[in-house]
Amino acid sequence: MIKTTNLRKVYRIGTEKIVALDNINLEVEEGTVCCILGTSGSGKSTLLNQLAGLEKPTRGEVVVRGRRISKMTEKELALFRQQSIGFVFQSYNLLPGMTAIENVALPLTFRGMRRRERMLTQVGLGDRKKHNPNEMSGGQQQRVGIARAFVTNPAVVFADEPTGNLDTHTTK
């Protein structure tokens, strides 16, 4: 389902070169839940961004569902993500001018599908569907982000610290 070969990501900040990923070889089979553990700054988010096609590698290859996403154009990547990927962002990435239900429904608009309010109910936010992100706590915003990631029933879901702002009961 997911495979990387000699994956490398280097960021340049001024004259400094920061190696975030160096020669990562990884295989994750379909149906597997895989957790990436490491200290802050160890490249976990960078790796997730590579696997989801949100960033291009400096070198190496990323294959998801048999497709070489590391070689796709931005247009091809956007379509692939719409059809196959859900992503729960560490910092929510909700659109501030949209309500919770509009944020959840956003991926559906690209597919011509109607809104799915039940996703918000499933994450315990059915009563907050008309609230904007600035009217919700961090944990509520994270649950909106989780609902948005799952609303299209994607083949792959990437989650970057998805429960960092949730209490223990809600996390479970």
Side-chain angles (χ1 to χ4, degrees):
M1 165 86 52
I2 300 169
K3 182 178 181 179
T4 67
T5 307
N6 300 322
L7 187 62
R8 180 175 172 89
K9 181 64 181 178
V10 178
Y11 295 103
R12 297 199 186 280
I13 299 174
T15 58
E16 190 177 359
K17 185 170 86 169
I18 298 168
V19 179
L21 302 173
D22 192 21
N23 202 36
I24 304 294
N25 294 293
L26 170 73
E27 277 191 60
V28 180
E29 296 297 324
E30 186 171 353
T32 302
V33 174
C34 179
C35 297
I36 301 168
L37 303 173
T39 59
S40 180
S42 63
K44 300 178 304 290
S45 295
T46 299
L47 179 58
L48 286 177
N49 288 340
Q50 297 289 312
L51 299 177
L54 298 174
E55 292 182 22
K56 294 277 191 183
T58 304
R59 184 186 75 217
E61 181 176 78
V62 178
V63 177
V64 179
R65 302 187 73 211
R67 307 268 318 270
R68 290 179 62 190
I69 67 167
S70 51
K71 299 297 181 190
M72 289 181 178
T73 66
E74 287 303 316
K75 188 174 182 177
E76 291 169 330
L77 270 171
L79 183 59
F80 180 76
R81 286 190 300 259
Q82 289 170 20
Q83 294 171 345
S84 303
I85 304 289
F87 202 101
V88 181
F89 294 93
Q90 183 176 4
S91 58
Y92 325 127
N93 283 16
L94 301 179
L95 297 176
M98 297 176 84
T99 64
I101 192 67
E102 290 168 336
N103 269 285
V104 170
L106 189 60
L108 299 174
T109 60
F110 299 112
R111 293 179 167 198
M113 300 169 75
R114 291 184 22 232
R115 297 180 188 177
R116 292 196 190 167
E117 294 182 25
R118 83 185 148 115
M119 288 303 296
L120 283 174
T121 302
Q122 288 178 323
V123 296
L125 293 175
D127 62 335
R128 307 290 287 175
K129 64 185 175 194
K130 294 191 178 187
H131 289 76
N132 286 348
N134 66 346
E135 300 170 316
M136 292 183 279
S137 71
Q140 290 170 329
Q141 290 180 62
Q142 189 68 335
R143 287 186 278 160
V144 171
I146 290 167
R148 180 184 56 199
F150 282 92
V151 74
T152 60
N153 196 28
V156 181
V157 175
F158 294 106
D160 192 357
E161 297 189 33
T163 60
N165 287 302
L166 301 180
D167 59 89
T168 304
H169 174 50
T170 305
T171 295
K172 289 179 183 175

